[in-house]
Amino acid sequence: MNKIPNKIKYLIGGISALIFFLFFFGIINPFGLNDSLQKITGYFFGLNFNNLDYFAISSIPIFGMLLNSKRLEFKTTDLIKDILIIILFVFVTITIGLYILTFIGKPDNPLIPQYLISEPFFLYSTIIIGIGIGLPFLLINRTAKLDEVNEIGTEK
């Protein structure tokens, strides 16, 4: 994290805080996505978004900065790429999580319509978002590998 300039660190922290407050005060409403998902899939997903979900989603730029800190040199384009990679992984894991919900979230009671799908446990969406944030750190290896080209001109 030492390679990232302080201006960019403060900017990313401010963007994350702004996103969290937009979620927290209801200016950005994730519940509007249910109508679109219902039209596409035919299911109504009863997801419970809480403040921990809002915090996880708003901290994606900070995790992008942490992923970028593994690089040898800092470039703002690489930082944007890393943030977009994490957003892509979160989107894919949420999609997979919703697909899994179509199997495990259907009600057992025959009086409840089968198109109503709910979370099997309380923090299901938070865990899915957390897995999406953590996967780039596990799958993308950005550690510096020493070779003879990098060691030319250095003393041991």
Side-chain angles (χ1 to χ4, degrees):
M1 294 264 302
N2 293 336
K3 299 172 203 147
I4 300 173
N6 285 334
K7 283 183 178 181
I8 294 187
K9 288 180 188 176
Y10 295 139
L11 180 67
I12 287 177
I15 289 171
S16 294
L18 178 69
I19 292 170
F20 178 75
F21 286 122
L22 289 175
F23 274 126
F24 187 74
F25 292 120
I27 297 171
I28 299 175
N29 188 4
F31 295 110
L33 296 174
N34 275 340
D35 296 334
S36 301
L37 282 174
Q38 187 175 7
K39 289 177 185 173
I40 294 170
T41 62
Y43 293 109
F44 181 79
F45 294 99
L47 297 177
N48 182 18
F49 289 101
N50 55 22
N51 289 339
L52 193 57
D53 293 336
Y54 298 151
F55 180 73
I57 291 171
S58 65
S59 64
I60 287 175
I62 293 173
F63 285 112
M65 186 172 56
L66 289 173
L67 185 63
N68 188 294
S69 67
K70 292 183 174 183
R71 293 184 185 265
L72 293 175
E73 59 186 37
F74 174 76
K75 293 180 186 173
T76 54
T77 56
D78 291 338
L79 176 64
I80 293 170
K81 285 179 191 175
D82 290 336
I83 292 171
L84 291 176
I85 286 171
I86 291 178
I87 290 172
L88 177 71
F89 272 91
V90 168
F91 180 74
V92 168
T93 56
I94 287 174
T95 304
I96 292 170
L98 290 176
Y99 181 70
I100 291 170
L101 267 182
T102 60
F103 297 111
I104 63 174
K106 289 185 179 178
D108 295 332
N109 190 342
L111 299 175
I112 300 174
Q114 291 295 311
Y115 67 87
L116 292 176
I117 295 178
S118 62
E119 294 180 332
F121 52 90
F122 176 61
L123 293 175
Y124 181 80
S125 59
T126 307
I127 291 172
I128 295 297
I129 293 169
I131 290 171
I133 290 173
L135 275 178
F137 289 96
L138 296 174
L139 298 178
I140 299 173
N141 188 9
R142 301 211 193 261
T143 56
K145 294 181 181 176
L146 295 176
D147 56 0
E148 292 179 14
V149 175
N150 290 335
E151 292 180 9
I152 294 175
T154 59
E155 295 181 23
K156 291 187 179 185

